[in-house]
Amino acid sequence: RGATPAPPAGAQPRASAMRISVSALSGHDVVSLDADGAWTKRELCARIPMLAGLPLAALHLVMGGEELAGGKTLADVGAQCGSHFSVVLEAGGGQELLTASADHTAKIWSARSGECLRTLEGHRARVFSAQFSPDGARVVTASADHTTKVWCAETGECLFTLEGADVGFWAMFSSDGRQVATTSGEGVARFWSTSDGNCINRSGRRCHSVSFMTLSPDWQLVFTGFEDGTAMLWSLAAGDCHWRTEDHRAGIRFAAFSLDGQHVLTASDDSTARTWRAGSGECLNTLIGHDATVFCAQISPDGGQVVTGSGDRTARLWHAASGECLRRLAGHTSAVTSAEFSPKGDQVITASGDRTARLWDARSGECLLTLEGHEGAIFSAVFLPPPRRGLGRAEEPL
């Protein structure tokens, strides 16, 4: 037989198959499997049942002194047949932060160091919102350029772009991460597949002067706020209005459901936030104390506290049941446009028109970290979601 022809000059050799093992730091085997040298962290984790569904950003796969991360392949880190990887899982989620800005970008940051890890570039106008998928593997951004983009959180690559005249106001992932919902300033919601970017369905009541629109956690209910302070809650499937209120005296800037879907929180130009019972529309509390528009409001994971952000350049923490102001978070030099609790509720992230985001201790009110790097106002700041099931804490041997 003749000799095997040599590969063309400059050609990359094909990564070979190999048998590797992956275990926790304690030595407990997670899995042994046949792998391809061309696999990245995403492809390897997707084939390990114990790791599938965990936030990629919170998973660290280490072999010796090399980590499988940042688009590197198994071959890149020197893996071969018999190689062994150890798994470290950062505890509790929240180890990375995500911001959206008027500078047309979104950024992913380390919540420990404040370092910018990745910049998501591609929008042609302000980015209003950004959110991680439930597994932390993807990011969705909504922009004034009338597009919503879905990105790979690990590499920053844009996976696909959703376009339309009524797209780009706000976007969120479904609880299983298989769909993205986008809303418009005209009361229309679209639903898209995250596997191919195709529009699956469209729903809503087209109307004028919609100032904010959001969905309940189970996507069964839609909350719509209007410029005149009117609010409505209606069924997504049937289109029936469950309740309507005109209690706010000015436009509604933001609304959010509690994690269990039982309550709705609204933020308004009338300098107040209100808590409503989702089932009946009963107003449970009015939070009074800010001196300007309240741009954002969120209920803590345990339902015990509320955080608000305002044009008076402060955020405030409130007792959810009594409405008492517990502490005032001061330090921003422009309006606080976004405020959110960490998955454990012990920290708060705020975003501001001063081009910074700040991380705060929710118990003491101390500013722990300031994120600087955006060239425009920041409209949104969120935490990496917690793992839905875990292997243990990164600070301890697994």
Side-chain angles (χ1 to χ4, degrees):
R1 296 179 179 177
T4 303
Q12 295 295 319
R14 182 183 180 276
S16 59
M18 61 188 78
R19 184 76 177 177
I20 64 171
S21 59
V22 180
S23 74
L25 288 178
S26 62
H28 172 71
D29 281 339
V30 175
V31 70
S32 294
L33 74 161
D34 292 318
D36 192 297
W39 286 359
T40 62
K41 174 176 148 184
R42 173 186 296 280
E43 292 161 325
L44 178 58
C45 289
R47 290 165 171 83
I48 302 176
M50 282 288 292
L51 305 184
L54 295 176
L56 277 179
L59 281 171
H60 300 273
L61 295 173
V62 181
M63 182 190 71
E66 289 283 345
E67 181 177 355
L68 186 63
K72 289 183 180 179
T73 66
L74 289 170
D76 290 337
V77 298
Q80 53 189 326
C81 194
S83 289
H84 180 85
F85 284 84
S86 295
V87 179
V88 176
L89 174 65
E90 293 181 356
Q95 302 300 328
E96 292 189 357
L97 305 167
L98 174 64
T99 55
S101 171
D103 66 9
H104 305 184
T105 72
K107 291 179 182 285
I108 299 175
W109 312 75
S110 166
R112 291 181 173 175
S113 67
E115 175 191 3
C116 179
L117 305 176
R118 284 169 291 286
T119 298
L120 310 182
E121 299 180 283
H123 282 296
R124 302 183 304 278
R126 294 170 294 172
V127 182
F128 290 127
S129 71
Q131 185 192 69
F132 283 107
S133 60
D135 65 1
R138 296 184 178 189
V139 167
V140 62
T141 55
S143 168
D145 64 10
H146 298 295
T147 70
T148 290
K149 292 179 180 287
V150 177
W151 313 75
C152 172
E154 185 181 10
T155 66
E157 174 192 2
C158 181
L159 303 177
F160 45 80
T161 299
L162 316 175
E163 298 181 294
D166 54 2
V167 173
F169 186 69
W170 173 85
M172 70 177 291
F173 283 98
S174 60
S175 59
D176 60 7
R178 295 180 180 178
Q179 294 184 41
V180 164
T182 60
T183 63
S184 74
E186 296 183 344
V188 175
R190 291 195 187 196
F191 303 89
W192 313 75
S193 167
T194 55
S195 62
D196 55 19
N198 288 327
C199 184
I200 301 169
N201 196 11
R202 178 176 171 173
S203 181
R205 300 177 172 185
R206 188 172 294 278
C207 47
H208 298 293
S209 301
V210 174
S211 55
F212 198 82
M213 183 176 176
T214 189
L215 303 178
S216 61
D218 61 5
W219 284 22
Q220 298 301 305
L221 301 172
V222 179
F223 178 91
T224 306
F226 295 86
E227 294 288 354
D228 65 359
T230 301
M232 294 174 55
L233 189 76
W234 45 281
S235 166
L236 181 63
D240 299 330
C241 180
H242 288 210
W243 51 264
R244 174 190 176 102
T245 177
E246 298 178 3
D247 285 8
H248 277 297
R249 301 187 307 276
I252 294 175
R253 291 293 134 220
F254 187 84
F257 283 86
S258 59
L259 290 179
D260 61 9
Q262 298 300 305
H263 299 93
V264 181
L265 199 58
T266 53
S268 171
D269 284 332
D270 66 11
S271 304
T272 72
R274 289 176 181 256
T275 306
W276 312 82
R277 196 181 304 279
S280 65
E282 175 189 1
C283 181
L284 302 176
N285 243 324
T286 300
L287 308 180
I288 302 174
H290 281 296
D291 298 323
T293 292
V294 181
F295 286 109
C296 53
Q298 192 202 43
I299 303 173
S300 62
D302 65 3
Q305 293 187 56
V306 169
V307 63
T308 55
S310 169
D312 65 11
R313 300 179 293 180
T314 71
R316 290 176 183 250
L317 291 166
W318 312 78
H319 189 277
S322 69
E324 175 191 0
C325 181
L326 303 176
R327 59 192 57 86
R328 180 173 172 269
L329 309 181
H332 283 295
T333 58
S334 186
V336 177
T337 54
S338 174
E340 178 176 288
F341 284 100
S342 64
K344 292 191 291 185
D346 59 338
Q347 295 179 341
V348 167
I349 181 74
T350 57
S352 170
D354 65 10
R355 304 184 179 186
T356 71
R358 288 177 177 249
L359 186 66
W360 309 81
D361 186 306
R363 298 185 183 93
S364 67
E366 176 190 1
C367 181
L368 305 174
L369 201 63
T370 300
L371 308 180
E372 299 179 290
H374 276 297
E375 297 178 0
I378 303 177
F379 298 125
S380 171
V382 299
F383 287 90
L384 178 74
R388 286 177 287 185
R389 58 185 187 277
L391 301 174
R393 302 179 67 88
E395 293 82 357
E396 304 169 358
L398 295 176

